[in-house]
Amino acid sequence: MTDPPPDLSSGAVTSSPPDLSALRSAEAELGVEPDLAGMQKDFEQALLGGERKFTRIEVSARAGISIERAEQMWHALGFATVPDDEIAFTDGDVEALRLVSALEDDGFIDPAVESSLARKLGQTQSRLASWQSAMFLELLAGSKLSADDAIEVATLLLPAMERLQTYVWRRHLAAAAGRAVAGSDELARGVRVVGFADIVSYTRLTRRLSEVELGQLIERFEGMAADVVALNGGRVIKSIGDEVLFVTDTPAQGAAVALALQDKVEAAGDMPELRIGLAYGSILIRLGDVYGEVVNLASRLTSEAKPGRVLGDRELAAALDGHPAYRVRKLRRVSVRGYHHLSPYAIQRAEAGH
């Protein structure tokens, strides 16, 4: 489940304000009385990249856009509204609003999807920022850093993280552009394999495991899934707690991902089993997510799969029929929500010599 957005009043986003308990403890051990208000201001300014100077009305006026449009964008990004007279915004906020306005004026951003784009961007960055904040606080908790040293570390880390994030984004952008340019007619129409991998008995595990143990389990599962999907030419769309949603461009890649992931979990020995469902056909790809009947079919098949097994729909089975590496076997029809006569197919590796 996506983490809630950080409750910042500024539109310039990098991370949420820190829980200063770690800094307070470090200062106490050193016998220093911490200036919490000053620490908060210095830390926030380091993260925001500048001093808070403007009210929300002033920042909109300087950017040359209406307060209504600016507020709509801030809400879509996941930020709370601040009072009209509060000095909350920086030069970076002004520049960001001007940039969005310029991109829209030049036709690079469709006004009809501006809020949707901002919402997806905000959700993605919020989750990343929450993880980075937790990581930084864990670092502080295990160190003897003073407040000034902690702020200096954060100031040094920030540009390094920005460069790393930009690098990863550019690599993914290049890969996506390459697929689009070299894609077949089917890929151009949005024909893909959609797969769900779901941890068996996850609800029971949440009651039995501690929060730390559950976090470690999810981290291992997501790491395994990411490695296997990437190795076999697929892409992880998102992780939702006990479930990973992925897509591949071809049926053979979809089968390869699903079976390899089952093998890896089995080989680990101490991981819960998975159910995996696959479906093949046209999907809507929008702002990094996938929609359509094929997605629903994959989800229903996942629910019907036995632990440790892979199920596919009729279209995937037809596409894999005769493939030398895989064997498909039709199972009895089932009735599930939205589909009264769903025909699942067991997807397996072809036996040696057959």
Side-chain angles (χ1 to χ4, degrees), residues 195-320:
F196 282 94
D198 179 64
I199 295 177
V200 174
S201 301
Y202 178 75
T203 302
R204 188 165 67 246
L205 286 171
T206 61
R207 293 195 294 263
R208 182 168 58 85
L209 300 178
S210 68
E211 290 185 2
V212 172
E213 291 171 332
L214 187 61
Q216 292 172 342
L217 171 64
I218 294 299
E219 180 68 24
R220 286 186 65 194
F221 169 53
E222 291 183 353
M224 284 183 177
D227 289 345
V228 170
V229 171
L231 185 63
N232 290 279
R235 297 176 300 286
V236 172
I237 298 299
K238 58 186 174 183
S239 300
I240 318 167
D242 61 327
E243 198 169 55
V244 168
L245 169 60
F246 62 91
V247 298
T248 67
D249 293 340
T250 69
Q253 287 175 331
V257 167
L259 295 171
L261 186 53
Q262 292 287 25
D263 289 346
K264 191 159 188 175
V265 167
E266 183 180 1
D270 59 347
M271 289 286 290
E273 293 182 292
L274 302 181
R275 295 186 180 94
I276 300 180
L278 304 171
Y280 181 48
S282 297
I283 59 175
L284 171 64
I285 304 174
R286 185 174 183 271
L287 297 176
D289 213 336
V290 292
Y291 306 88
E293 184 179 11
V294 171
V295 181
N296 294 334
L297 274 172
S299 178
R300 301 294 185 272
L301 288 166
T302 303
S303 300
E304 290 298 313
K306 292 182 179 181
R309 300 302 177 92
V310 177
L311 292 185
D313 71 338
R314 181 188 294 110
E315 283 68 26
L316 182 73
L320 290 176

Side-chain angles (χ1 to χ4, degrees), residues 13-35:
V13 191
T14 47
S15 183
S16 50
D19 174 2
L20 293 175
S21 58
L23 295 180
R24 189 184 290 108
S25 298
E27 292 283 86
E29 289 185 20
L30 293 172
V32 178
E33 185 66 27
D35 176 11

Side-chain angles (χ1 to χ4, degrees), residues 52-220:
R52 295 179 186 263
K53 300 178 181 179
F54 311 115
T55 66
R56 68 190 188 100
I57 295 174
E58 290 170 340
V59 79
S60 302
R62 286 175 175 269
I65 67 174
S66 69
I67 183 63
E68 292 78 15
R69 183 182 172 196
E71 190 164 279
Q72 182 181 21
M73 192 181 308
W74 291 325
H75 288 168
L77 286 169
F79 301 113
T81 301
V82 297
D84 289 346
D85 59 349
E86 184 173 331
I87 306 298
F89 302 99
T90 70
D91 290 323
D93 295 300
V94 176
E95 182 60 29
L97 289 176
R98 285 175 177 166
L99 179 58
V100 171
S101 181
L103 289 172
E104 186 174 303
D105 291 343
D106 290 340
F108 289 104
I109 296 180
D110 185 345
V113 301
E114 181 181 89
S115 291
S116 296
L117 184 62
R119 187 164 53 251
K120 285 291 185 182
L121 183 62
Q123 290 170 354
T124 301
Q125 295 299 322
S126 171
R127 187 174 184 180
L128 182 61
S130 295
W131 169 74
Q132 290 169 334
S133 294
M135 181 178 65
F136 182 66
L137 289 174
E138 285 178 10
L139 173 66
L140 289 185
S143 71
K144 302 292 184 180
L145 291 176
S146 66
D148 288 341
D149 288 340
I151 291 170
E152 184 178 355
V153 169
T155 304
L156 292 172
L157 278 176
L158 190 61
M161 293 302 297
E162 284 182 332
R163 288 197 298 271
L164 181 58
Q165 287 169 204
T166 300
Y167 159 75
V168 174
W169 170 69
R170 285 182 175 273
R171 292 296 301 183
H172 277 296
L173 189 62
R179 289 193 300 269
V181 171
S184 64
D185 290 340
E186 279 197 337
L187 295 185
R189 295 197 309 271
V191 177
R192 302 288 195 285
V193 174
V194 175
F196 282 94
D198 179 64
I199 295 177
V200 174
S201 301
Y202 178 75
T203 302
R204 188 165 67 246
L205 286 171
T206 61
R207 293 195 294 263
R208 182 168 58 85
L209 300 178
S210 68
E211 290 185 2
V212 172
E213 291 171 332
L214 187 61
Q216 292 172 342
L217 171 64
I218 294 299
E219 180 68 24
R220 286 186 65 194

